[in-house]
Amino acid sequence: MESSSKKEHRLEWILLIVTLVLVFVIIGIISLFYRSSRPLAQAKEEATTMARKYTDLQTVDDFYRFTREKTYFSLLGEDKKGTKIAVIMPKEGETIKVLNQKDGISESQALQTAAQAYPKERVIKADLGLFEDQPVWEVTSESADGGVNFVLLSYSDGKEVKKISNI
């Protein structure tokens, strides 16, 4: 028959092993999360550097990654004069487009427009980019059946440019 001190000692070892396993699992999850978010953070850093080099962008408030025909990175912020601007640049080559934010709809207006146009869908997010060389907000939503939808809204007036349903 085992003594109670041996049982307690065995229980302590089991508890130690379980604790160590949990610690390693938590470290693994944190590491995975950090590595998966790093490419986007690096893209934001590179886009900000490019925008500051080729435009008057001074501060950055928001960053977006948009992919339709091509991949674009967009930054919202202020220029050196304090004017709120949007900078849209292709991931590779081509020209950087600078827009005055007052000449277009905001992210929240784009989200609201899509939610009103498609009330049965759950609006998830919006990204700013170029589609057929025109600035657009791409609003992502989810249908009740789990399908993913995209609606492209004109940056200048919020009118629907294109709808892609149930991907």
Side-chain angles (χ1 to χ4, degrees), residues 64-74 88-95 127-134 136 138 152:
Y64 305 96
R65 181 180 184 272
F66 172 94
T67 301
R68 268 302 120 225
E69 299 142 333
K70 299 175 185 173
T71 298
Y72 294 91
F73 299 122
S74 302
I88 304 173
M89 66 187 72
K91 181 178 178 182
E92 300 185 16
E94 300 177 38
T95 308
D127 292 302
L128 181 63
L130 295 179
F131 178 72
E132 297 177 349
D133 294 322
Q134 297 301 312
V136 295
E138 176 187 67
L152 303 180

